[in-house]
């Protein structure tokens, strides 16, 4: 199953997820059943594959659509609120997972085979603890592309610097299961023979931890500029894998968004 890159990137981006959430919050009305739409375009710079020391720069569509207080299409995918209260929420969504590895991307990967992009089902809960919001999400591969199950815990806070400018910043950690670890970080005997890399067994555990900051600036009531950056460090078996060229990486994105 090969998902179109442009469609997948509609749901990507460090800063755009926050920007879309901010737009939705600014328009939220639990009793309004009308459509709310914002859309834009930008770019994203990210590693070619998990553990890569090279970066790819790609076009980044940005889309946030909500209908009433139930349905959404945004950085979390296409989904619905199962629970939505003042200080907590629970959502279920279907989304693409843009993480992939193509052995043609690097001579270092030759003989390892490809890991394709996939589609995931995600259950995500958030709870507001005063100035801090705690978010836990569990995503599982529903297209059987070897992405397994991933759980992520995030702690973040927001600062309204001015009426037009706001920041969101925090920390996050991801746990990966055996299937994900094997797909992206293990080297089996056949792969070792073809690639020349040493055999390596990777198992479930904390895959990475990251720091992030996102910024949104309102140029006008309808136009906003969003940008985000994150710095991450591979952990455990992922960090020690012979596939990983660099155990730390950065991601950046920026876009201009129009609110209809």
């Amino acid at each position: 199953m090969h998902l179109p890159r442009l469609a997948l990137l509609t749901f990507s981006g460090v800063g755009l997820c926050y920007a879309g959430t901010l737009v939705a919050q600014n328009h939220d009305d639990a009793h309004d059943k009308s459509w709310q739409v914002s859309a834009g375009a930008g770019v994203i710079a990210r590693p070619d594959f998990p553990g890569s020391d090279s970066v790819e720069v790609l076009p980044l569509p940005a889309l946030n659509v909500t209908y009433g207080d139930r349905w959404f299409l945004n950085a979390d995918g296409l989904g619905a609120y199962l629970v939505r209260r003042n200080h907590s929420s629970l959502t279920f969504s279907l989304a693409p997972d843009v993480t992939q590895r193509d052995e043609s991307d690097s001579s270092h990967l030759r003989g390892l085979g490809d890991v394709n992009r996939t589609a995931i089902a995600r259950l995500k809960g958030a709870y507001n603890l005063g100035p801090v919001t705690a978010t836990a999400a569990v995503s599982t591969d529903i297209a059987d592309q070897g992405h397994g199950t991933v759980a992520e815990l995030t702690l973040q806070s927001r600062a309204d610097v001015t009426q037009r400018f706001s920041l969101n910043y925090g920390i996050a950690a991801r746990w990966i299961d055996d299937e994900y670890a094997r797909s992206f970080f293990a080297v089996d005997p056949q792969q070792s023979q073809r690639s020349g890399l040493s055999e390596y067994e990777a198992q479930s555990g904390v895959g990475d931890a990251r720091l992030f900051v996102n910024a949104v600036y309102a140029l006008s009531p309808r136009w906003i500029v969003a940008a985000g950056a994150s710095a991450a460090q591979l952990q455990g078996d992922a960090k020690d894998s012979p596939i990983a060229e660099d155990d730390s990486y950065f991601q950046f994105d920026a876009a201009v968004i129009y609110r209809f």
Side-chain angles (χ1 to χ4, degrees), residues 198-220:
S198 302
E199 291 184 32
Y200 185 76
E201 181 178 357
Q203 298 180 331
S204 62
V206 177
D208 61 54
R210 61 187 172 90
L211 301 172
F212 63 88
V213 60
N214 309 313
V216 174
Y217 183 77
L219 299 172
S220 72

Side-chain angles (χ1 to χ4, degrees), residues 140-185:
T140 191
D141 184 350
I142 59 174
D144 196 24
Q145 297 298 312
H147 289 231
T149 297
V150 175
E152 183 169 36
L153 177 64
T154 304
L155 296 176
Q156 58 189 316
S157 188
R158 172 178 165 178
D160 293 320
V161 181
T162 69
Q163 288 185 335
R164 289 174 174 247
F165 181 59
S166 63
L167 292 173
N168 171 266
Y169 49 89
I171 58 174
R174 286 196 317 156
W175 176 89
I176 58 176
D177 72 351
D178 285 339
E179 184 178 7
Y180 188 103
R182 284 194 301 268
S183 295
F184 287 99
F185 300 110

Side-chain angles (χ1 to χ4, degrees), residues 33 47 77 87 92 115 149 169 219 236:
K33 301 302 180 183
H87 299 288
F92 175 79
V115 183
T149 297
Y169 49 89
L219 299 172

Side-chain angles (χ1 to χ4, degrees), residues 2-243:
H2 296 274
L3 301 176
R5 173 173 286 185
L6 193 63
L8 288 171
L9 288 176
T10 302
F11 302 97
S12 300
V14 180
L16 300 189
C17 181
Y18 170 58
T21 301
L22 183 65
V23 169
Q25 287 174 341
N26 289 343
H27 284 77
D28 188 38
D29 184 345
H31 303 289
D32 182 1
K33 301 302 180 183
S34 64
W35 292 94
Q36 297 167 8
V37 180
S38 60
V43 294
I44 183 171
R46 61 175 193 153
D48 278 333
F49 59 89
S52 174
D53 63 357
S54 59
V55 173
E56 61 179 357
V57 179
L58 301 168
L60 179 64
L63 180 65
N64 186 288
V65 179
T66 61
Y67 181 73
D69 62 349
R70 177 69 65 179
W71 307 101
F72 60 81
L73 175 64
N74 57 26
D76 284 331
L78 174 63
Y81 283 93
L82 305 179
V83 176
R84 194 174 192 184
R85 298 172 181 165
N86 289 337
H87 299 288
S88 62
S89 65
L90 180 66
T91 63
F92 175 79
S93 60
L94 301 176
D97 183 347
V98 301
T99 307
Q100 56 92 38
R101 190 184 70 212
D102 188 336
E103 66 176 350
S104 65
D105 285 343
S106 169
S107 59
H108 180 67
L109 300 177
R110 287 173 188 165
L112 295 177
D114 298 340
V115 183
N116 296 322
R117 305 177 185 92
T118 192
I120 58 173
R122 176 185 288 125
L123 187 66
K124 180 178 179 179
Y127 190 81
N128 192 330
L129 303 167
V132 177
T133 299
T135 303
V138 178
S139 305
T140 191
D141 184 350
I142 59 174
D144 196 24
Q145 297 298 312
H147 289 231
T149 297
V150 175
E152 183 169 36
L153 177 64
T154 304
L155 296 176
Q156 58 189 316
S157 188
R158 172 178 165 178
D160 293 320
V161 181
T162 69
Q163 288 185 335
R164 289 174 174 247
F165 181 59
S166 63
L167 292 173
N168 171 266
Y169 49 89
I171 58 174
R174 286 196 317 156
W175 176 89
I176 58 176
D177 72 351
D178 285 339
E179 184 178 7
Y180 188 103
R182 284 194 301 268
S183 295
F184 287 99
F185 300 110
V187 181
D188 65 27
Q190 291 76 25
Q191 291 173 319
S192 177
Q193 186 175 20
R194 294 193 303 263
S195 68
L197 297 177
S198 302
E199 291 184 32
Y200 185 76
E201 181 178 357
Q203 298 180 331
S204 62
V206 177
D208 61 54
R210 61 187 172 90
L211 301 172
F212 63 88
V213 60
N214 309 313
V216 174
Y217 183 77
L219 299 172
S220 72
R222 292 193 177 275
W223 287 99
I224 65 173
V225 177
S230 67
Q233 176 78 44
L234 294 179
Q235 305 290 323
D237 288 350
K239 178 179 179 180
D240 297 330
S241 170
I243 297 175

